[in-house]
């Protein structure tokens, strides 16, 4: 079923007709015509048969009548007295012999002498027989009694010519009709056969017509004709139909015009039409083509070819064509515009990806080559390159980037100082006017040639012929300039239409450069602040050999920090922390936290206690920035806020006298422990919450490790392990493999770790601390238990003096005895047992007295009349440092005595006490 243009069935727009196609209508018309012809022929044959039967009846009747009228003896019989008896038998014989229905002999007045019906003899014959009485023979159709008939009447003449009688013979009309009806079956059969042949022929013709018209109806045939006329004469696209043998079947008016076809082109072979060889070959190839551009004289034609039939090469093809000559220039300009838009889009994504001034300038030069220029140079003011505010004369700039199709361009290299001293140069004009300046022909640029005659000559000899220079302006401030050059690779010079594009490209690049400059300035300030807040050198101590590395992030300085803090009793505290966020605020917060940790460490607190105090401090700082708030919770989650920033911290204390290491974590990754044999483990440290979350009521927990001599404790921030391409667990495993090599110093271990785990562009700060554990030899440690009796002070003092002398510290012996005497006496008098004394020979002589009381002694200035209060004053005067630290139970009062008067960092042993003066001091 076919469908019309409106989608309705058939070609009649949905009207339910029995004849939907031209072929069906032609078949019906032919069938009706055949039926009418056969019917007319049958009728004609019937009429002709009737006519022939009537004529036969006339002829037979006339012949019988004439024969009997001229028969011998007929006249004598008529003259006889009884003609009927003589002629009846003869008339009957003639009737039977001739096959007529009746024969009658009549008198001149019409009376019957004989008749086939004897009852009629003697009666007068009806009808007009006057003509026969007048001597005329005739035939007629008689209507009357006894029957209608075809009869003939012939006069009988005597020897004188007088009419003596008449003979009438004829055939009844009914007899004639029976003769015709007898031939009707044959006639109708012939008519039926003729009708069948006619309908069959019409069906064959209709089938062929249906195949040729594809079952289309009249409306469709009309539309096809209209479309055909439109294609031939109205459309502005050429149409050519070629048969399988290469003959041109059809070409419309536009095709004839575009291809310049002759008038008699149709039915001629394609190669005889004078077409371009490529076009003729395409028509004969049998392949499909889409928008292939072929020349046709001075025109360019876009050809589309589709094979007809089943697409075989010998099935012919249809080709449509349109003239693209007028559109070629417009299309070229449109393509250039599209290319410029794509280039601007790429510039937006490729320029300013690193926040580095120099790299941003290089990206500008790279993105414009070779799609806009053959060579691009970028010059920036020196302060801009350093990240400072642009200042100084615009006539001097530093060449920052240079890119070209070829690297041999004879232009000053990157790093050179470029001067624009001639005001008429395009560069000076662009800076003065604040807009792009075009120099289409460099050979005619007198100012440019005068500025550097030798360099200009080399550039022209190289092939540079056109220049477009644009100042780099950001927020109304000149940062530098970009120069776009074209050489022999692009013969077409820059045009006016290139100015706006160059200004747009330069504006985007200038904004990116200014952002990079501002970032560089802020980054430099943050780095300077951060480095000023971090330790420059590590303090001297004997507990551990420490090496460290600190690397700020390239994208923005963070708040990572580390510290090594000597503690009393030859111990050392190791700290690694990380402040959430980046920038100056994070660096300042880091400095405050480091200072706070250093101050809290002077209280000689346990790691978990120190972290608790630090968390409370951060909460108070948060309340300062957010009055009425609930601490630093929200600020801690927003590293960029100006309030308190969340932080993590790992704090460890190592005691070289016992090898124990106590540590606690506030949301910070635990350390790595490298055993002397090279095995690496990550000891479990209770994971406390990060600092500054407002959860200070959650206590921190400590973990205690035993470090063997030669072990290394590795502390780090998460920036060392994590990266956008590596998760924490992967980095941890990589760190394990890197550390699992024995026999390396902490410095070597630091270098190996960074070489393995450091990314080219770290996204976060990295702090790494590697501490090798040492032990104080046991022969440099002396301990005594002191009974709770004042008399026990002297023996312990004497034993201590002997041990100090054995260590070769005679110069500090007397001072040590004095300090020990005061501290032991106070412990016995005011403290609780047990009382212990310990001497440690390290960089200084450490005197420690412990007791079970948690009461803290206070330094007082006694008056002349006071009996006591001078002991701690003496200790403070003669000790380099002194203090109190608390344990789970009890306390320890310690004092550090220098082992040489000129020891750096100490106050010397001080003068030897005057014995007379000591007498005035009461214990």
């Amino acid at each position: 079923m076919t469908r019309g243009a409106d989608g309705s069935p058939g070609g009649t727009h949905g009207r339910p007709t029995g004849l939907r196609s031209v072929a069906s209508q032609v078949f019906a018309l032919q069938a009706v015509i055949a039926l009418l012809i056969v019917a007319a022929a049958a009728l004609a044959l019937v009429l002709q048969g009737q006519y022939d039967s009537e004529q036969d009846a006339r002829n037979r009747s006339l012949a019988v009548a004439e024969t009997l009228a001229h028969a011998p003896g007929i006249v004598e019989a008529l003259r006889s007295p009884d003609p009927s008896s003589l002629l009846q038998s003869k008339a009957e014989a003639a009737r039977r012999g001739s096959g007529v229905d009746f024969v009658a002999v009549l008198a001149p007045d019409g009376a019957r002498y004989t008749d086939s019906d004897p009852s009629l003899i003697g009666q007068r014959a009806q009808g007009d027989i006057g003509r026969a009485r007048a001597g005329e023979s005739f035939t007629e159709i008689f209507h009357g009694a006894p029957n209608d008939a075809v009869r003939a009447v012939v006069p009988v003449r005597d020897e004188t010519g007088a009419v003596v009688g008449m003979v009438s013979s004829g055939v009844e009309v009914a007899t004639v009709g029976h003769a015709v009806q007898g031939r009707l079956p044959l006639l109708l059969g012939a008519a039926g056969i003729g009708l069948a042949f006619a309908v069959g022929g019409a069906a064959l013709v209709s089938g062929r017509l249906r195949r040729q018209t594809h079952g289309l109806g009249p409306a469709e045939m009309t539309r096809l004709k209209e479309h055909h006329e439109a294609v031939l004469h109205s459309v502005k696209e050429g149409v050519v139909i070629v048969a399988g043998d290469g003959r041109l079947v059809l070409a419309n008016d536009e095709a004839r015009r575009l291809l310049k076809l002759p008038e008699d082109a149709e039915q001629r072979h394609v190669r005889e039409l004078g077409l371009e060889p490529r076009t003729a070959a395409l028509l004969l190839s049998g392949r499909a083509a889409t928008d292939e551009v072929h020349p046709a004289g001075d025109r360019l034609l876009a050809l589309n070819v589709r094979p007809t039939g089943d697409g075989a090469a010998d099935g012919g093809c249809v080709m449509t064509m349109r003239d693209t000559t007028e559109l070629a220039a417009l299309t070229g300009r449109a393509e250039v515009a599209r290319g410029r838009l794509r280039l601007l889009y790429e510039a937006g994504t490729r320029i300013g990806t690193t926040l580095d001034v120099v790299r941003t300038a290089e990206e500008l030069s790279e993105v414009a080559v070779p799609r806009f220029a053959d060579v691009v140079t970028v010059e920036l003011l020196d302060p801009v390159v350093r990240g400072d505010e642009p200042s100084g004369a615009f006539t001097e700039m530093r060449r920052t980037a240079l890119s070209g199709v070829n690297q041999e361009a004879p232009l000053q290299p990157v790093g050179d100082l470029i001067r624009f001293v001639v005001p008429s140069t395009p560069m000076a004009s662009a800076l003065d006017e604040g807009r792009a300046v075009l120099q289409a022909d460099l050979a005619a640029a007198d100012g440019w040639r005068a500025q550097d005659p030798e360099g200009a000559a080399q550039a022209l000899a190289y092939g540079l012929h056109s220049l477009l220079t644009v100042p780099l302006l950001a927020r109304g401030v000149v940062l530098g300039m970009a120069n776009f050059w074209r050489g022999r690779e692009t013969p077409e010079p820059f045009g006016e239409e290139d100015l706006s594009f160059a200004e747009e490209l330069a504006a985007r690049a200038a904004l990116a450069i200014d952002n990079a400059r501002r970032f560089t300035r802020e980054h430099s300030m943050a780095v300077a602040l951060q480095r000023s807040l971090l330790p420059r050198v590590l303090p001297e101590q004997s507990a551990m050999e420490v090496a460290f590395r600190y690397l700020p992030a390239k994208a923005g300085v963070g708040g990572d920090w580390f510290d090594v803090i000597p503690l009393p009793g030859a111990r050392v505290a190791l700290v690694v922390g990380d402040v959430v966020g980046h920038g100056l605020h994070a660096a300042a917060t880091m400095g405050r936290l480091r200072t706070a940790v250093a101050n809290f460490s002077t209280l000689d607190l346990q790691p978990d206690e120190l972290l608790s105090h630090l968390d409370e401090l951060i909460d108070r700082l948060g309340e300062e920035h957010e009055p009425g708030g609930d601490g630093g919770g929200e600020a801690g989650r927003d590293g960029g806020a100006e309030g308190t920033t969340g932080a993590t911290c790992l704090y460890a204390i190592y005691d070289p006298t016992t090898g124990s290491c106590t540590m606690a974590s506030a949301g910070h990754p635990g350390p790595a422990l490298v055993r002397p044999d090279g095995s690496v483990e990550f000891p479990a440290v209770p994971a406390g919450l990060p600092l500054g979350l407002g959860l200070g009521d959650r206590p921190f927990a400590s973990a205690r490790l035993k470090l063997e001599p030669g072990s290394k404790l590795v502390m780090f921030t998460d920036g060392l392990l994590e990266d956008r391409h590596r998760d924490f667990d992967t980095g941890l495993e990589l760190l394990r493999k890197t550390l699992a090599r024995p026999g390396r110093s902490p410095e070597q271990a630091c270098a190996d770790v960074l070489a393995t785990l450091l990314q080219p562009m770290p996204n976060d700060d990295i702090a790494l601390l590697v501490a090798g554990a040492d032990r104080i030899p046991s022969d440099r440690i002396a301990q005594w238990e002191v009974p709770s009796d004042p008399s026990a002070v002297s023996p312990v003092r004497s034993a201590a003096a002997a041990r100090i002398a054995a260590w070769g510290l005679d110069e500090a012996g007397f001072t040590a005895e004095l300090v020990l005497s005061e501290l032991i006496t106070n412990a016995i008098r005011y403290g609780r047992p047990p009382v212990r004394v310990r001497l440690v020979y390290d960089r200084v002589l450490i005197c420690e007295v412990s007791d079970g009381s948690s009461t803290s002694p206070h330094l007082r200035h006694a008056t002349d009349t006071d009996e006591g209060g001078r002991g701690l004053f003496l200790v403070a005067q003669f000790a380099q440092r002194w203090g109190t630290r608390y344990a789970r139970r009890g306390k320890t009062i310690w004092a550090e005595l220098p082992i040489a008067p000129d020891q750096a960092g100490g106050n010397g042993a001080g003068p030897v006490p005057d014995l007379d003066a000591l007498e005035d001091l009461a214990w």
Side-chain angles (χ1 to χ4, degrees):
M1 177 181 290
T2 60
R3 289 188 174 268
D6 60 351
S8 59
T12 58
H13 303 282
R15 292 192 300 270
T17 63
L19 303 176
R20 300 185 179 184
S21 65
V22 173
S24 299
Q25 295 180 12
V26 169
F27 172 74
L29 181 60
Q30 287 179 332
V32 171
I33 292 174
L35 179 60
L36 292 176
I37 291 175
V38 171
L43 179 60
L45 289 176
V46 170
L47 295 177
Q48 182 65 39
Q50 186 175 359
Y51 176 77
D52 291 344
S53 297
E54 183 180 336
Q55 288 299 319
D56 180 64
R58 285 177 182 270
N59 294 333
R60 283 192 294 126
S61 298
L62 183 60
V64 171
E66 286 183 347
T67 301
L68 186 59
H70 294 90
I74 187 65
V75 176
E76 288 78 6
L78 287 174
R79 290 177 178 173
S80 68
D82 190 8
S84 297
S85 60
L86 297 176
L87 296 175
Q88 179 67 23
S89 60
K90 291 183 180 181
E92 282 300 309
R95 181 185 67 79
R96 289 192 296 269
S98 62
V100 296
D101 288 334
F102 65 90
V103 176
V105 179
L106 307 176
D109 58 358
R112 289 185 178 87
Y113 291 131
T114 66
D115 195 275
S116 299
D117 184 4
S119 63
L120 296 178
I121 295 175
Q123 296 181 11
R124 184 179 297 275
Q126 297 182 3
D128 184 14
I129 59 174
R131 295 168 55 193
R133 203 169 34 242
E136 178 185 356
S137 299
F138 67 92
T139 62
E140 66 176 351
I141 302 297
F142 169 74
H143 297 283
N147 294 302
D148 295 340
V150 177
R151 72 179 181 178
V153 181
V154 178
V156 179
R157 296 176 184 273
D158 59 6
E159 60 275 4
T160 64
V163 175
V164 294
M166 294 174 287
V167 177
S168 172
S169 67
V171 179
E172 295 178 358
V173 173
T175 304
V176 175
H178 287 311
V180 173
Q181 289 177 0
R183 284 183 278 177
L184 279 178
L186 178 61
L187 181 61
L188 293 177
I193 294 173
L195 180 61
F197 275 108
V199 172
L204 293 177
V205 172
S206 177
R208 182 175 181 85
L209 184 60
R210 180 178 292 105
R211 289 192 298 272
Q212 292 181 343
T213 61
H214 301 284
L216 297 176
E220 283 76 11
M221 295 291 291
T222 302
R223 285 198 297 272
L224 283 179
K225 181 66 167 62
E226 294 172 352
H227 297 169
H228 180 77
E229 293 296 328
V231 169
L232 289 179
H233 307 295
S234 302
V235 299
K236 290 302 180 183
E237 185 166 305
V239 179
V240 170
I241 301 177
V242 177
D245 57 0
R247 290 180 299 103
L248 179 64
V249 177
L250 181 141
N252 68 345
D253 296 345
E254 185 68 8
R256 291 178 180 273
R257 183 183 71 84
L258 295 176
L259 298 177
K260 296 182 174 57
L261 297 177
E263 292 295 331
D264 60 344
E266 293 185 0
Q267 301 305 320
R268 293 176 59 181
H269 198 275
V270 170
R271 298 194 183 279
E272 301 174 1
L273 301 178
L275 303 177
E276 291 289 335
R278 284 184 58 207
T279 305
L282 178 61
L283 287 171
L284 298 175
S285 65
R287 66 179 178 87
T290 301
D291 286 339
E292 285 194 13
V293 179
H294 288 221
D298 57 347
R299 297 180 179 275
L300 292 176
L301 305 181
L303 306 182
N304 293 274
V305 180
R306 295 293 182 273
T308 58
D310 58 357
D314 58 351
C317 64
V318 177
M319 180 176 72
T320 60
M321 65 197 75
R322 63 181 183 275
D323 189 359
T324 63
T325 306
E326 293 81 3
L327 298 177
L330 180 60
T331 302
R333 290 194 295 271
E335 183 61 31
V336 171
R338 284 194 296 270
R340 296 287 170 80
L341 288 176
R342 287 195 297 269
L343 185 56
L344 283 177
Y345 172 77
E346 292 182 12
T349 58
R350 293 176 55 185
I351 297 177
T353 60
T354 62
L355 289 176
D356 180 83
V357 174
V358 175
R359 181 55 193 154
T360 303
E362 292 173 350
E363 290 169 344
L364 168 60
S365 65
E366 292 169 357
V367 78
V369 176
R371 295 161 62 181
F372 181 65
D374 297 330
V375 181
V376 177
T377 60
V378 180
E379 291 79 42
L380 298 178
L381 295 171
D382 277 339
V384 175
V385 178
R386 296 190 301 267
D388 299 332
E389 291 292 335
S391 60
F394 294 153
T395 57
E396 292 186 355
M397 295 185 184
R398 185 74 58 183
R399 177 147 292 170
T400 311
L402 188 154
S403 297
V405 177
N406 297 314
Q407 301 301 323
E408 307 85 36
L411 299 175
Q412 290 178 257
V414 173
D416 276 14
L417 191 64
I418 310 298
R419 294 181 175 86
F420 311 114
V421 295
V422 179
S424 59
T425 61
M427 297 79 167
S429 300
L431 292 172
D432 183 57
E433 299 174 9
R435 61 179 180 84
V437 172
L438 169 65
Q439 184 64 53
D441 185 9
L442 283 176
D446 296 333
W448 175 70
R449 300 179 66 179
Q451 179 173 269
D452 184 7
E454 182 179 355
Q458 293 177 358
L460 292 174
Y462 176 76
L464 298 180
H465 59 81
S466 184
L467 169 65
L468 201 161
T469 181
V470 190
L472 297 176
L473 300 172
R475 303 174 179 89
V477 178
V478 176
L479 305 178
M481 66 184 320
N483 297 307
F484 303 92
W485 311 76
R486 282 185 178 173
R488 52 176 176 264
E489 291 83 4
T490 308
E492 180 183 359
F494 288 110
E496 295 294 332
E497 66 277 5
D498 297 319
L499 287 174
S500 59
F501 171 77
E503 289 179 339
E504 176 68 19
L505 183 62
R508 297 191 181 196
L511 186 60
I513 290 174
D514 190 53
N515 290 338
R517 178 192 66 79
R518 291 168 178 264
F519 172 79
T520 300
R521 181 183 182 187
E522 181 180 347
H523 186 267
S524 300
M525 294 173 60
V527 169
L529 174 62
Q530 190 176 42
R531 291 193 181 279
S532 68
L533 297 175
L534 289 173
R536 297 295 183 91
V537 294
L538 296 181
E540 294 183 0
Q541 46 85 30
S542 302
M544 307 187 99
E545 180 186 359
V546 181
F548 69 92
R549 293 290 188 275
Y550 176 79
L551 284 85
K554 296 294 183 181
V557 174
D560 292 13
W561 92 91
F562 67 93
D563 210 345
V564 178
I565 305 172
L567 297 178
R571 296 169 304 143
V572 64
L574 304 177
V575 190
V576 172
D578 185 1
V579 176
V580 177
H582 295 83
L584 291 173
H585 176 64
T589 302
M590 177 271 294
R592 300 173 77 176
L593 291 180
R594 178 174 177 251
T595 302
V597 171
N599 290 333
F600 286 141
S601 67
T602 60
L603 301 177
D604 213 347
L605 301 175
Q606 291 297 314
D608 54 341
E609 296 177 1
L610 184 143
L611 292 180
S612 298
H613 286 293
L614 192 63
D615 187 48
E616 293 175 1
L617 173 64
I618 292 181
D619 286 343
R620 289 197 300 273
L621 293 177
E623 292 175 359
E624 294 176 3
H625 290 277
E626 298 179 6
D630 57 353
E634 292 298 326
R637 285 186 287 273
D638 185 4
E642 286 298 327
T644 303
T645 306
T648 64
C649 182
L650 178 64
Y651 187 84
I653 297 177
Y654 174 66
D655 187 349
T657 62
T658 61
S660 66
C661 180
T662 306
M663 63 183 66
S665 171
H668 198 87
L673 178 59
V674 184
R675 298 294 183 182
D677 59 357
S679 61
V680 180
E681 60 183 84
F682 296 95
V685 179
L689 294 173
L691 304 172
L693 294 183
L695 301 174
D697 56 339
R698 299 286 298 272
F700 295 94
S702 297
R704 186 180 299 272
L705 305 176
K706 191 76 170 181
L707 302 185
E708 303 171 10
S711 300
K712 286 187 281 292
L713 192 66
V714 181
M715 303 170 66
F716 49 85
T717 57
D718 56 2
L720 177 69
L721 305 182
E722 288 182 316
D723 191 77
R724 67 182 62 181
H725 304 298
R726 184 176 63 205
D727 58 20
F728 186 85
D729 292 337
T730 303
L732 205 63
E733 185 62 28
L734 192 59
L735 177 64
R736 180 198 300 273
K737 295 179 180 178
T738 305
L739 293 174
R741 281 182 288 177
R744 289 178 299 176
S745 66
E747 187 69 28
Q748 292 172 335
C750 276
D752 291 344
V753 168
L754 288 186
T756 303
L757 278 80
L758 183 62
Q759 298 293 327
M761 297 289 290
N763 299 320
D764 197 2
D765 291 9
I766 295 175
L768 174 64
L769 204 63
V770 179
D774 290 332
R775 287 281 187 91
I776 295 178
S778 58
D779 59 356
R780 288 196 172 195
I781 302 174
Q783 301 184 77
W784 296 271
E785 293 282 343
V786 182
S788 297
D789 185 356
S791 62
V793 174
S794 180
V796 173
R797 184 174 60 192
S798 300
R803 179 58 63 91
I804 293 173
W807 287 339
L809 305 178
D810 296 331
E811 298 177 355
F814 183 78
T815 305
E817 289 184 51
L818 179 64
V819 169
L820 285 175
S821 294
E822 175 60 28
L823 295 181
I824 296 172
T825 301
N826 284 345
I828 294 174
R829 180 180 300 178
Y830 304 110
R832 296 178 181 176
V835 178
R836 296 184 180 87
V837 176
R838 188 175 73 163
L839 294 179
V840 179
Y841 174 22
D842 191 34
R843 294 177 179 269
V844 293
L845 179 61
I846 303 171
C847 302
E848 297 179 346
V849 177
S850 303
D851 67 88
S853 172
S854 298
T855 303
S856 175
H858 298 282
L859 179 66
R860 294 190 298 124
H861 296 276
T863 63
D864 293 341
T865 60
D866 289 338
E867 296 182 359
R870 298 178 178 84
L872 289 181
F873 178 77
L874 289 176
V875 172
Q877 289 294 314
F878 294 105
Q880 180 174 298
R881 290 194 308 162
W882 77 280
T884 304
R885 68 173 181 268
Y886 296 91
R888 299 295 179 185
R889 293 182 180 179
K891 66 179 181 296
T892 299
I893 302 177
W894 55 269
E896 294 181 355
L897 305 178
I899 58 177
D902 57 348
Q903 181 177 358
N907 58 3
V912 176
D914 186 359
L915 296 181
D916 296 332
L918 289 178
E919 290 295 333
D920 296 331
L921 298 178
W923 288 92

